[in-house]
Short mmCIF file of all heavy atoms in Angstrom, two decimals:
data_model
loop_
_atom_site.label_atom_id
_atom_site.label_comp_id
_atom_site.label_asym_id
_atom_site.label_seq_id
_atom_site.Cartn_x
_atom_site.Cartn_y
_atom_site.Cartn_z
N CYS A 263 -13.78 23.39 41.81
CA CYS A 263 -14.62 22.63 40.84
C CYS A 263 -16.05 22.86 41.12
O CYS A 263 -16.55 22.99 42.30
CB CYS A 263 -14.31 21.14 41.03
SG CYS A 263 -15.35 20.01 40.08
N ILE A 264 -16.92 23.05 40.04
CA ILE A 264 -18.23 23.30 40.24
C ILE A 264 -19.09 22.01 39.74
O ILE A 264 -20.31 22.13 39.56
CB ILE A 264 -18.82 24.56 39.48
CG1 ILE A 264 -18.32 24.52 37.98
CG2 ILE A 264 -18.12 25.83 40.13
CD1 ILE A 264 -18.87 25.60 37.14
N ASN A 265 -18.39 21.01 39.62
CA ASN A 265 -19.06 19.70 39.17
C ASN A 265 -19.95 19.88 38.03
O ASN A 265 -21.02 19.29 37.87
CB ASN A 265 -19.92 19.13 40.40
CG ASN A 265 -19.03 18.41 41.44
OD1 ASN A 265 -19.20 18.61 42.56
ND2 ASN A 265 -17.92 17.81 41.09
N CYS A 266 -19.48 20.66 37.03
CA CYS A 266 -20.29 20.87 35.82
C CYS A 266 -20.23 19.70 34.86
O CYS A 266 -21.12 19.45 34.02
CB CYS A 266 -19.73 22.04 35.02
SG CYS A 266 -18.07 21.97 34.44
N GLY A 267 -19.20 18.83 34.98
CA GLY A 267 -19.16 17.62 34.10
C GLY A 267 -18.52 17.89 32.65
O GLY A 267 -18.29 16.93 31.89
N THR A 268 -18.19 19.17 32.44
CA THR A 268 -17.56 19.45 31.08
C THR A 268 -16.43 18.59 30.74
O THR A 268 -16.22 18.10 29.68
CB THR A 268 -17.13 21.03 31.07
OG1 THR A 268 -18.32 21.74 31.39
CG2 THR A 268 -16.60 21.37 29.82
N CYS A 269 -15.52 18.40 31.82
CA CYS A 269 -14.23 17.72 31.49
C CYS A 269 -14.55 16.27 30.99
O CYS A 269 -13.85 15.77 30.16
CB CYS A 269 -13.46 17.73 32.73
SG CYS A 269 -14.24 17.21 34.20
N MET A 300 -18.45 13.23 37.91
CA MET A 300 -18.38 14.52 38.58
C MET A 300 -19.80 14.95 39.12
O MET A 300 -19.90 15.95 39.76
CB MET A 300 -17.93 15.62 37.66
CG MET A 300 -16.56 15.31 37.04
SD MET A 300 -15.35 14.92 38.36
CE MET A 300 -14.72 16.65 38.52
N CYS A 352 -12.31 23.65 31.10
CA CYS A 352 -12.74 23.64 32.58
C CYS A 352 -12.91 25.16 32.83
O CYS A 352 -12.07 25.97 32.85
CB CYS A 352 -11.66 23.14 33.37
SG CYS A 352 -12.07 23.30 35.23
N PRO A 353 -14.19 25.53 33.38
CA PRO A 353 -14.44 26.86 33.74
C PRO A 353 -13.62 27.50 34.80
O PRO A 353 -13.70 28.73 35.00
CB PRO A 353 -15.90 26.96 33.95
CG PRO A 353 -16.33 25.51 34.31
CD PRO A 353 -15.32 24.60 33.59
N VAL A 354 -13.08 26.62 35.70
CA VAL A 354 -12.35 27.09 36.78
C VAL A 354 -10.78 26.73 36.78
O VAL A 354 -10.11 26.81 37.67
CB VAL A 354 -12.87 26.62 38.11
CG1 VAL A 354 -14.45 27.13 38.28
CG2 VAL A 354 -12.99 25.11 38.30
N ILE A 356 -9.10 23.90 36.31
CA ILE A 356 -8.44 22.69 36.96
C ILE A 356 -7.67 22.01 35.88
O ILE A 356 -8.15 21.81 34.67
CB ILE A 356 -9.48 21.76 37.70
CG1 ILE A 356 -10.02 22.61 38.83
CG2 ILE A 356 -8.87 20.38 38.01
CD1 ILE A 356 -11.22 21.88 39.66
S1 SF4 B 11 -14.67 20.91 33.95
FE1 SF4 B 11 -13.64 21.62 35.77
S2 SF4 B 11 -15.42 22.58 37.08
FE2 SF4 B 11 -16.40 21.18 35.54
S3 SF4 B 11 -16.42 19.19 36.50
FE3 SF4 B 11 -14.61 19.23 35.33
S4 SF4 B 11 -13.00 19.84 36.87
FE4 SF4 B 11 -14.91 20.45 37.78
#
Side-chain angles (χ1 to χ4, degrees):
C263 174
I264 55 172
N265 284 144
C266 64
T268 301
C269 48
M300 304 306 267
C352 172
V354 298
I356 292 178

